mmCIF file of all heavy atoms in Angstrom:
data_model
loop_
_atom_site.group_PDB
_atom_site.id
_atom_site.type_symbol
_atom_site.label_atom_id
_atom_site.label_comp_id
_atom_site.label_asym_id
_atom_site.label_seq_id
_atom_site.Cartn_x
_atom_site.Cartn_y
_atom_site.Cartn_z
ATOM 1 N N CYS A 1116 47.488 140.198 125.940
ATOM 2 C CA CYS A 1116 48.641 141.027 126.287
ATOM 3 C C CYS A 1116 49.111 141.757 125.028
ATOM 4 O O CYS A 1116 49.352 141.130 123.999
ATOM 5 C CB CYS A 1116 49.766 140.169 126.853
ATOM 6 S SG CYS A 1116 49.346 139.493 128.458
ATOM 7 N N GLY A 1117 49.220 143.052 125.142
ATOM 8 C CA GLY A 1117 49.602 143.864 123.984
ATOM 9 C C GLY A 1117 51.102 144.072 123.907
ATOM 10 O O GLY A 1117 51.869 143.441 124.639
ATOM 11 N N PRO A 1118 51.523 144.971 123.032
ATOM 12 C CA PRO A 1118 52.954 145.151 122.809
ATOM 13 C C PRO A 1118 53.612 146.011 123.890
ATOM 14 O O PRO A 1118 52.960 146.824 124.526
ATOM 15 C CB PRO A 1118 52.985 145.903 121.482
ATOM 16 C CG PRO A 1118 51.729 146.720 121.508
ATOM 17 C CD PRO A 1118 50.702 145.863 122.200
ATOM 18 N N THR A 1119 54.913 145.782 124.051
ATOM 19 C CA THR A 1119 55.733 146.707 124.819
ATOM 20 C C THR A 1119 56.213 147.729 123.794
ATOM 21 O O THR A 1119 56.882 147.368 122.830
ATOM 22 C CB THR A 1119 56.930 145.962 125.435
ATOM 23 O OG1 THR A 1119 56.403 144.850 126.161
ATOM 24 C CG2 THR A 1119 57.712 146.860 126.370
ATOM 25 N N TYR A 1121 58.420 149.843 122.813
ATOM 26 C CA TYR A 1121 59.781 150.402 122.844
ATOM 27 C C TYR A 1121 60.458 150.322 121.489
ATOM 28 O O TYR A 1121 61.568 150.788 121.301
ATOM 29 C CB TYR A 1121 60.632 149.680 123.891
ATOM 30 C CG TYR A 1121 61.067 148.287 123.490
ATOM 31 C CD1 TYR A 1121 62.393 148.027 123.136
ATOM 32 C CD2 TYR A 1121 60.152 147.240 123.453
ATOM 33 C CE1 TYR A 1121 62.785 146.747 122.756
ATOM 34 C CE2 TYR A 1121 60.535 145.978 123.075
ATOM 35 C CZ TYR A 1121 61.850 145.727 122.731
ATOM 36 O OH TYR A 1121 62.231 144.469 122.346
ATOM 37 N N HIS A 1125 57.393 143.266 115.474
ATOM 38 C CA HIS A 1125 57.789 142.454 114.319
ATOM 39 C C HIS A 1125 56.639 141.546 113.902
ATOM 40 O O HIS A 1125 55.601 141.493 114.572
ATOM 41 C CB HIS A 1125 59.091 141.703 114.605
ATOM 42 C CG HIS A 1125 59.070 140.828 115.834
ATOM 43 N ND1 HIS A 1125 58.169 139.812 116.010
ATOM 44 C CD2 HIS A 1125 59.860 140.833 116.945
ATOM 45 C CE1 HIS A 1125 58.402 139.206 117.172
ATOM 46 N NE2 HIS A 1125 59.421 139.831 117.762
ATOM 47 N N GLY A 1127 56.293 138.470 114.080
ATOM 48 C CA GLY A 1127 55.951 137.449 115.075
ATOM 49 C C GLY A 1127 54.908 137.994 116.041
ATOM 50 O O GLY A 1127 53.867 137.371 116.279
ATOM 51 N N ASN A 1128 55.153 139.187 116.558
ATOM 52 C CA ASN A 1128 54.169 139.829 117.444
ATOM 53 C C ASN A 1128 52.825 139.926 116.709
ATOM 54 O O ASN A 1128 51.774 139.634 117.276
ATOM 55 C CB ASN A 1128 54.597 141.249 117.826
ATOM 56 C CG ASN A 1128 55.955 141.327 118.498
ATOM 57 O OD1 ASN A 1128 56.778 142.153 118.123
ATOM 58 N ND2 ASN A 1128 56.207 140.482 119.476
ATOM 59 N N ARG A 1130 51.638 138.092 114.414
ATOM 60 C CA ARG A 1130 50.951 136.812 114.313
ATOM 61 C C ARG A 1130 50.081 136.602 115.558
ATOM 62 O O ARG A 1130 48.925 136.201 115.470
ATOM 63 C CB ARG A 1130 51.956 135.660 114.209
ATOM 64 C CG ARG A 1130 51.277 134.372 113.831
ATOM 65 C CD ARG A 1130 51.474 133.212 114.744
ATOM 66 N NE ARG A 1130 50.615 132.116 114.271
ATOM 67 C CZ ARG A 1130 50.852 130.844 114.424
ATOM 68 N NH1 ARG A 1130 51.935 130.453 115.032
ATOM 69 N NH2 ARG A 1130 50.010 129.945 113.981
ATOM 70 N N THR A 1131 50.659 136.855 116.713
ATOM 71 C CA THR A 1131 49.904 136.669 117.955
ATOM 72 C C THR A 1131 48.726 137.641 118.039
ATOM 73 O O THR A 1131 47.621 137.271 118.432
ATOM 74 C CB THR A 1131 50.841 136.826 119.170
ATOM 75 O OG1 THR A 1131 51.781 135.742 119.148
ATOM 76 C CG2 THR A 1131 50.078 136.779 120.475
ATOM 77 N N PHE A 1132 48.952 138.893 117.622
ATOM 78 C CA PHE A 1132 47.846 139.854 117.677
ATOM 79 C C PHE A 1132 46.750 139.482 116.684
ATOM 80 O O PHE A 1132 45.563 139.659 116.947
ATOM 81 C CB PHE A 1132 48.351 141.283 117.439
ATOM 82 C CG PHE A 1132 49.353 141.704 118.492
ATOM 83 C CD1 PHE A 1132 50.521 142.365 118.148
ATOM 84 C CD2 PHE A 1132 49.135 141.410 119.825
ATOM 85 C CE1 PHE A 1132 51.451 142.723 119.123
ATOM 86 C CE2 PHE A 1132 50.059 141.761 120.808
ATOM 87 C CZ PHE A 1132 51.220 142.423 120.450
ATOM 88 N N LYS A 1161 62.581 148.162 129.205
ATOM 89 C CA LYS A 1161 62.981 148.481 127.826
ATOM 90 C C LYS A 1161 62.552 149.880 127.388
ATOM 91 O O LYS A 1161 63.300 150.588 126.724
ATOM 92 C CB LYS A 1161 62.403 147.427 126.865
ATOM 93 C CG LYS A 1161 63.079 146.068 127.037
ATOM 94 C CD LYS A 1161 62.549 145.057 126.053
ATOM 95 C CE LYS A 1161 61.528 144.158 126.702
ATOM 96 N NZ LYS A 1161 61.038 143.071 125.917
ATOM 97 N N TRP A 1293 56.174 144.607 135.396
ATOM 98 C CA TRP A 1293 55.382 144.315 134.196
ATOM 99 C C TRP A 1293 54.160 143.456 134.517
ATOM 100 O O TRP A 1293 53.050 143.725 134.044
ATOM 101 C CB TRP A 1293 56.303 143.621 133.176
ATOM 102 C CG TRP A 1293 55.631 143.067 131.969
ATOM 103 C CD1 TRP A 1293 54.592 143.621 131.267
ATOM 104 C CD2 TRP A 1293 55.960 141.841 131.303
ATOM 105 N NE1 TRP A 1293 54.267 142.819 130.193
ATOM 106 C CE2 TRP A 1293 55.093 141.718 130.195
ATOM 107 C CE3 TRP A 1293 56.913 140.836 131.520
ATOM 108 C CZ2 TRP A 1293 55.150 140.634 129.307
ATOM 109 C CZ3 TRP A 1293 56.967 139.769 130.627
ATOM 110 C CH2 TRP A 1293 56.094 139.664 129.548
ATOM 111 N N GLY A 1314 47.847 135.301 124.644
ATOM 112 C CA GLY A 1314 49.126 135.888 124.278
ATOM 113 C C GLY A 1314 49.958 134.825 123.592
ATOM 114 O O GLY A 1314 49.449 133.730 123.295
ATOM 115 N N GLY A 1315 51.225 135.127 123.347
ATOM 116 C CA GLY A 1315 52.108 134.136 122.736
ATOM 117 C C GLY A 1315 52.600 133.135 123.772
ATOM 118 O O GLY A 1315 52.554 133.402 124.982
ATOM 119 N N VAL A 1316 53.085 131.973 123.311
ATOM 120 C CA VAL A 1316 53.489 130.895 124.232
ATOM 121 C C VAL A 1316 54.588 131.323 125.207
ATOM 122 O O VAL A 1316 54.652 130.797 126.324
ATOM 123 C CB VAL A 1316 54.001 129.636 123.485
ATOM 124 C CG1 VAL A 1316 52.850 128.812 122.963
ATOM 125 C CG2 VAL A 1316 54.979 129.987 122.379
ATOM 126 N N ASP A 1317 55.424 132.263 124.800
ATOM 127 C CA ASP A 1317 56.512 132.686 125.703
ATOM 128 C C ASP A 1317 55.976 133.391 126.950
ATOM 129 O O ASP A 1317 56.708 133.578 127.919
ATOM 130 C CB ASP A 1317 57.489 133.621 124.966
ATOM 131 C CG ASP A 1317 56.780 134.829 124.385
ATOM 132 O OD1 ASP A 1317 55.825 134.631 123.603
ATOM 133 O OD2 ASP A 1317 57.151 135.966 124.721
ATOM 134 N N LEU A 1318 54.697 133.767 126.933
ATOM 135 C CA LEU A 1318 54.145 134.476 128.099
ATOM 136 C C LEU A 1318 53.610 133.540 129.174
ATOM 137 O O LEU A 1318 53.286 133.975 130.278
ATOM 138 C CB LEU A 1318 53.032 135.443 127.662
ATOM 139 C CG LEU A 1318 53.428 136.559 126.688
ATOM 140 C CD1 LEU A 1318 52.280 137.554 126.542
ATOM 141 C CD2 LEU A 1318 54.679 137.293 127.152
ATOM 142 N N ALA A 1345 49.219 131.351 121.589
ATOM 143 C CA ALA A 1345 49.561 131.160 120.171
ATOM 144 C C ALA A 1345 51.042 130.796 120.062
ATOM 145 O O ALA A 1345 51.881 131.388 120.740
ATOM 146 C CB ALA A 1345 49.270 132.436 119.396
ATOM 147 N N GLU A 1346 51.327 129.830 119.201
ATOM 148 C CA GLU A 1346 52.722 129.435 118.958
ATOM 149 C C GLU A 1346 53.454 130.559 118.227
ATOM 150 O O GLU A 1346 52.835 131.464 117.649
ATOM 151 C CB GLU A 1346 52.751 128.170 118.101
ATOM 152 C CG GLU A 1346 53.234 126.929 118.826
ATOM 153 C CD GLU A 1346 54.640 127.038 119.424
ATOM 154 O OE1 GLU A 1346 55.399 127.972 119.094
ATOM 155 O OE2 GLU A 1346 54.983 126.159 120.235
ATOM 156 N N HIS A 1347 54.753 130.442 118.201
ATOM 157 C CA HIS A 1347 55.557 131.496 117.592
ATOM 158 C C HIS A 1347 55.642 131.405 116.070
ATOM 159 O O HIS A 1347 55.455 130.350 115.484
ATOM 160 C CB HIS A 1347 56.971 131.454 118.165
ATOM 161 C CG HIS A 1347 57.082 132.303 119.394
ATOM 162 N ND1 HIS A 1347 58.261 132.582 120.010
ATOM 163 C CD2 HIS A 1347 56.129 132.965 120.100
ATOM 164 C CE1 HIS A 1347 58.046 133.368 121.053
ATOM 165 N NE2 HIS A 1347 56.761 133.601 121.136
ATOM 166 N N LEU A 1348 55.949 132.543 115.497
ATOM 167 C CA LEU A 1348 56.292 132.606 114.080
ATOM 168 C C LEU A 1348 57.814 132.470 113.985
ATOM 169 O O LEU A 1348 58.552 133.054 114.784
ATOM 170 C CB LEU A 1348 55.842 133.955 113.521
ATOM 171 C CG LEU A 1348 56.210 134.290 112.081
ATOM 172 C CD1 LEU A 1348 55.079 135.093 111.433
ATOM 173 C CD2 LEU A 1348 57.492 135.105 111.985
ATOM 174 N N MET A 1355 63.376 134.008 114.795
ATOM 175 C CA MET A 1355 63.706 135.356 114.320
ATOM 176 C C MET A 1355 64.707 136.001 115.261
ATOM 177 O O MET A 1355 64.559 135.906 116.478
ATOM 178 C CB MET A 1355 62.458 136.229 114.345
ATOM 179 C CG MET A 1355 61.788 136.373 113.025
ATOM 180 S SD MET A 1355 60.618 137.716 113.046
ATOM 181 C CE MET A 1355 59.622 137.358 114.423
HETATM 182 P P1 AMP B 2147 56.161 141.695 123.631
HETATM 183 O O1 AMP B 2147 55.983 143.075 123.081
HETATM 184 O O2 AMP B 2147 57.560 141.182 123.541
HETATM 185 O O3 AMP B 2147 55.573 141.533 125.000
HETATM 186 O O4 AMP B 2147 55.348 140.696 122.692
HETATM 187 C C1 AMP B 2147 54.033 140.925 122.293
HETATM 188 C C2 AMP B 2147 53.353 139.620 121.929
HETATM 189 O O5 AMP B 2147 54.031 138.984 120.839
HETATM 190 C C3 AMP B 2147 53.351 138.603 123.058
HETATM 191 O O6 AMP B 2147 52.072 137.986 123.099
HETATM 192 C C4 AMP B 2147 54.405 137.601 122.663
HETATM 193 O O7 AMP B 2147 54.112 136.338 123.176
HETATM 194 C C5 AMP B 2147 54.280 137.621 121.167
HETATM 195 N N1 AMP B 2147 55.480 137.176 120.441
HETATM 196 C C6 AMP B 2147 56.771 137.495 120.667
HETATM 197 N N2 AMP B 2147 57.595 136.902 119.759
HETATM 198 C C7 AMP B 2147 56.804 136.183 118.925
HETATM 199 C C8 AMP B 2147 57.018 135.343 117.769
HETATM 200 N N3 AMP B 2147 58.225 135.120 117.266
HETATM 201 N N4 AMP B 2147 55.947 134.784 117.188
HETATM 202 C C9 AMP B 2147 54.710 134.988 117.667
HETATM 203 N N5 AMP B 2147 54.428 135.762 118.732
HETATM 204 C C10 AMP B 2147 55.450 136.363 119.357
#
Side-chain angles (χ1 to χ4, degrees):
C1116 291
T1119 307
Y1121 74 107
H1125 56 58
N1128 303 132
R1130 191 236 174 151
T1131 294
F1132 299 136
K1161 290 182 260 186
W1293 171 39
V1316 281
D1317 56 304
L1318 299 189
E1346 249 302 346
H1347 271 188
L1348 175 145
M1355 261 195 307

